[in-house]
Amino acid sequence: MNILIINAGSSSLKYQLMDPNSGEVFAKGLCERIYIDGRLTHKVGDKKVVKEVPMPTHAEAITAVLDILVDAEHGVIKSTDEIDAVGHRVVHGGDKFADSCIIDEACIKAIEDCIPLGPLHNPANLMGIRACQAVMPKTPQVAVFDTAFHMTMDPVAYRYAIPKEYYENDSIRRYGFHGTSHKYVTRRAMALMGREDIKIINCHLGNGSSLSAVSEGKCRDTSMGLSPLAGVCMGTRSGDIDACVVQFIMNKYGMTADECLNMLNKKSGVLALSGVSSDFRDIEEAAKAGNTDCALALDKFAFDVRKYIGSYATVLGGCDCLVFTAGVGENSASMRENICRGLEFMGIKIDPVKNNIRGEEVCISTDDSKVKVWIIPTNEELMIAQDTAELVMAAK
Ligand code: ADP
């Protein structure tokens, strides 16, 4: 089976053509500078080709992707008829989607209804969907939501303690994000542990970071909220913050709410604390060279993650398995070591030698660690492909 996965942003579009059963990726790539001029980067195995292709809208970007997939020199299929279905990443599903969904008019309307909740991402995701519908009208399309995995939370976890009308009229509540990644690593953790009735704390630590507390495969709490700004401090996001900070800064510096939120989303986090970079590799290097602001940024990030791990062990009433995933979680041995420091009291002990293994699923806890600590490389594309294939097969 061939599933095309589309992740459409406002001026970019990532794609992968893969087999949902084997996970084999036949081709992948990126369209950039849509609406400006247009550039396609296409990869098949180790071979890469970059082409300048006019992309006045997302439709031309999708057409460029389909053209190169069937191209005699760089293509991997003979005809676009060989694409069995398309899976679209959609950021905000609001409280309307607890699962992935075959795209029809009602689904599109529901994604449109979620635009006020995901104003930065949903419009771009919709452009990707419409563009695909236009150029491949007969191919089934599926929407896979970043929020869906977290819809099993109880009201105590998802309700904010603010007047009820904002929840009832405006759907203001905790949603959480990175759900496709949390779902993927949860499934892998259950398979690796050989049991489904386990308590898992997932740490998706990348440029954006979020944690989830999972039992019986269901999400019970997650650190991001109505938007991805909440939770631990991140590359450029502040994470949890007292709302009065916003009021103070707006009043003193004459900033609008949008300007202030832009500062909290794009100019804060470890970028602000380190004064060096939002990239953890740069910060680690500078900290090693003696930069104390960088050391603080790393320690603050580890502190936030550690604090959430402790609180999620309480939410779950224990923890069997701690999972590290995404850019920092998979690659930074020193950050994993920093986060787990002092957690021996709750049965978390990592083996310094195993902690240095990279690029594979590996249990890094000591044999006598009560909690098993795993590095599980995430694969959101595979999760999207599997959800897409499952729904399309069931609909046949
Ligand atoms: P996102 O998908 O949120 O953009 P990723 O999951 O790709 O982010 O993670 C990106 C982050 O991972 C970057 O901050 C990068 O510095 C960090 N990262 C990647 N490799 C390493 C490494 N070897 N050591 C430390 N951090 C790393």
Side-chain angles (χ1 to χ4, degrees):
M1 207 173 185
N2 295 323
I3 306 288
L4 178 63
I5 298 133
I6 299 288
N7 182 354
S10 54
S11 66
S12 71
L13 184 149
K14 289 187 201 138
Y15 64 94
Q16 280 196 15
L17 186 71
M18 70 150 66
D19 180 335
N21 301 313
S22 67
E24 187 184 350
V25 177
F26 305 118
K28 64 178 173 182
L30 169 70
C31 299
E32 293 168 284
R33 301 176 61 84
I34 307 173
Y35 296 97
I36 305 166
D37 37 27
R39 181 190 306 135
L40 173 74
T41 306
H42 178 75
K43 285 186 197 157
V44 178
D46 295 336
K47 272 209 277 176
K48 179 169 129 179
V49 53
V50 181
K51 280 187 165 188
E52 307 298 322
V53 186
M55 297 175 189
T57 71
H58 281 73
E60 289 79 11
I62 295 280
T63 304
V65 171
L66 295 181
D67 285 349
I68 198 128
L69 286 173
V70 301
D71 183 81
E73 193 184 350
H74 306 292
V76 288
I77 48 176
K78 288 202 174 65
S79 145
T80 53
D81 292 344
E82 291 174 43
I83 299 172
D84 297 289
V86 184
H88 293 268
R89 176 189 182 216
V90 180
V91 170
H92 218 307
D95 53 11
K96 296 177 197 307
F97 297 100
D99 222 327
S100 304
C101 155
I102 297 218
I103 296 174
D104 55 15
E105 277 314 304
C107 169
I108 291 191
K109 166 81 175 59
I111 297 172
E112 279 170 353
D113 290 345
C114 295
I115 288 177
L117 299 170
L120 300 179
H121 297 104
N122 277 30
N125 302 152
L126 277 166
M127 282 191 275
I129 291 171
R130 290 219 176 86
C132 274
Q133 284 182 321
V135 293
M136 41 200 321
K138 291 202 199 100
T139 312
Q141 321 253 338
V142 168
V144 179
F145 300 91
D146 268 18
T147 47
F149 179 67
H150 305 302
M151 290 311 286
T152 46
M153 285 186 286
D154 282 333
V156 285
Y158 72 69
R159 282 291 295 276
Y160 291 133
I162 58 173
K164 205 176 182 181
E165 67 243 37
Y166 300 115
Y167 171 65
E168 289 183 338
N169 300 340
D170 306 304
S171 304
I172 302 292
R173 48 160 283 179
R174 178 188 303 283
Y175 289 101
F177 298 87
H178 296 138
T180 311
S181 174
H182 286 282
K183 181 173 170 180
Y184 176 79
V185 296
T186 294
R187 287 198 177 176
R188 288 305 307 146
M190 293 190 306
L192 292 162
M193 298 276 288
R195 279 170 52 195
E196 297 201 347
D197 60 338
I198 47 170
K199 295 166 176 167
I200 309 171
I201 299 175
N202 292 315
C203 307
H204 175 111
L205 311 178
N207 194 19
S209 297
S210 67
L211 284 85
S212 65
V214 174
S215 59
E216 278 84 35
K218 292 196 166 67
C219 178
R220 312 295 174 183
D221 199 3
T222 190
S223 57
M224 285 178 166
L226 173 78
S227 85
L229 180 58
V232 298
C233 82
M234 310 177 205
T236 63
R237 297 191 189 111
S238 63
D240 295 335
I241 196 163
D242 181 344
C244 286
V245 172
V246 177
Q247 181 197 34
F248 183 99
I249 292 175
M250 283 172 65
N251 287 344
K252 175 146 189 203
Y253 296 97
M255 274 163 114
T256 62
D258 283 1
E259 285 167 347
C260 201
L261 266 289
N262 191 49
M263 178 270 288
L264 293 174
N265 270 305
K266 303 212 170 121
K267 296 181 186 161
S268 299
V270 292
L271 168 68
L273 287 173
S274 70
V276 165
S277 171
S278 63
D279 191 303
F280 282 78
R281 283 164 293 202
D282 300 340
I283 305 173
E284 285 182 2
E285 206 178 298
K288 254 191 227 142
N291 183 319
T292 51
D293 286 342
C294 287
L296 171 67
L298 296 172
D299 285 344
K300 162 75 178 158
F301 181 77
F303 179 86
D304 281 7
V305 175
R306 197 183 305 124
K307 200 159 85 170
Y308 265 98
I309 291 171
S311 83
Y312 283 176
T314 309
V315 165
L316 295 171
C319 175
D320 302 302
C321 177
L322 177 67
V323 175
F324 287 105
T325 193
V328 180
E330 290 167 30
N331 295 303
S332 179
S334 62
M335 184 50 76
R336 289 190 297 266
E337 198 269 324
N338 194 345
I339 290 166
C340 293
R341 205 177 296 148
L343 293 183
E344 293 80 5
F345 81 95
M346 54 183 282
I348 293 177
K349 259 173 47 186
I350 59 173
D351 178 323
V353 176
K354 292 183 196 161
N355 187 33
N356 273 304
I357 302 174
R358 264 169 66 179
E360 57 181 277
E361 289 179 338
V362 55
C363 180
I364 59 167
S365 44
T366 57
D367 291 343
D368 64 341
S369 178
K370 192 173 83 51
V371 178
K372 299 295 163 218
V373 184
W374 282 88
I375 301 171
I376 302 182
T378 195
N379 195 338
E380 286 159 283
E381 290 78 14
L382 179 57
M383 195 72 256
I384 293 175
Q386 288 177 348
D387 268 14
T388 302
E390 213 173 282
L391 281 175
V392 169
M393 294 301 281
K396 269 192 180 161

